[in-house]
Amino acid sequence: MSELSVLDSMIVPSPQWFLLVVRSRSERSVAAALRAKGFEVFLPMHAVRQQWSDRVASYCAPLFSCLVFCRFALCDQYQVLNTPNVFSTHENAGKRVPVPIEEITRLQKVLESDYPVELCDVPTLGDLVQLGADEIVRGVLVERGEVCRVAICLDSIGRAVCITVPREVLKPVSDGGTTTYIPFHMLAE
């Protein structure tokens, strides 16, 4: 058997997105260290306004405290987990679950939209809507008015982010009736 056919028969796992649990307030340094090692990293940030007695301060902070998204193959997990301040990969029901690329893309599009974003509870009831013509960014309408709040669910990690948008930006996904939303991770139970 030639050396080339041995290499062809080896299965090289493709990199997947995983959510890493990191030390509090070290998300940025962990992201920088992983990038320096050559890994693709996504650290979602959002604007925060802090009210002090004499002033208001605005700054950027990680959207998910103690969590960093990293794309790596399972054969590289030792190198990733040995990065300072990385504790483990996020697990769901005791299993390491990769984050689907669709959820990463959805979250990136939400953050690129320039609308205010914040964490929220995963909704169980509401109208399904999408932001404009973009079918990737769909969510559950949780608050209506001239300015609406839409919860964008990240099922693989059991979290949701709310985006505040003008009503004109939203389009109903179905006939507009109220729909019971069941998060994907709850269907398996």
Side-chain angles (χ1 to χ4, degrees):
M1 185 177 260
S2 73
E3 188 176 323
L4 185 57
S5 62
V6 170
L7 289 175
D8 287 339
S9 66
M10 294 175 59
I11 298 174
V12 179
S14 62
Q16 294 178 306
W17 285 100
F18 291 94
L19 190 56
L20 302 176
V21 180
V22 302
R23 181 183 303 275
S24 177
R25 298 181 180 259
S26 67
E27 298 90 353
R28 292 178 201 201
S29 63
V30 167
L34 289 167
R35 282 188 191 104
K37 291 181 177 184
F39 294 105
E40 189 176 351
V41 176
F42 176 46
L43 179 58
M45 304 290 282
H46 70 123
V48 176
R49 290 176 47 101
Q50 180 74 41
Q51 177 72 46
W52 298 95
S53 60
D54 60 339
R55 67 187 182 284
V56 175
S58 295
Y59 59 94
C60 283
L63 183 59
F64 302 106
S65 178
C66 301
L67 299 173
V68 175
F69 293 92
C70 183
R71 188 172 188 214
F72 61 92
L74 287 178
C75 60
D76 294 324
Q77 73 178 345
Y78 180 77
Q79 189 177 3
V80 170
L81 294 174
N82 274 342
T83 304
N85 297 321
V86 173
F87 295 136
S88 64
T89 55
H90 183 268
E91 294 181 352
N92 191 354
K95 293 183 180 181
R96 182 183 313 113
V97 180
V99 179
I101 187 69
E102 297 81 15
E103 289 190 8
I104 298 290
T105 304
R106 185 179 314 132
L107 187 54
Q108 288 171 334
K109 286 183 176 265
V110 166
L111 294 171
E112 291 169 1
S113 70
D114 292 331
Y115 293 117
V117 177
E118 62 187 6
L119 286 178
C120 66
D121 294 331
V122 176
T124 55
L125 193 66
D127 295 337
L128 294 175
V129 294
Q130 68 186 37
L131 272 62
D134 194 348
E135 292 185 13
I136 293 174
V137 183
R138 291 183 173 189
V140 179
L141 186 62
V142 292
E143 196 174 300
R144 271 172 222 265
E146 288 300 313
V147 177
C148 301
R149 292 184 67 211
V150 178
I152 311 295
C153 300
L154 306 170
D155 294 330
S156 65
I157 64 172
R159 306 264 178 118
V161 295
C162 269
I163 182 168
T164 305
V165 297
R167 184 176 7 167
E168 307 83 53
V169 175
L170 301 176
K171 285 177 46 179
V173 171
S174 62
D175 61 350
T178 301
T179 305
T180 302
Y181 174 77
I182 301 172
F184 179 73
H185 68 278
M186 294 177 88
L187 290 174
E189 294 175 354

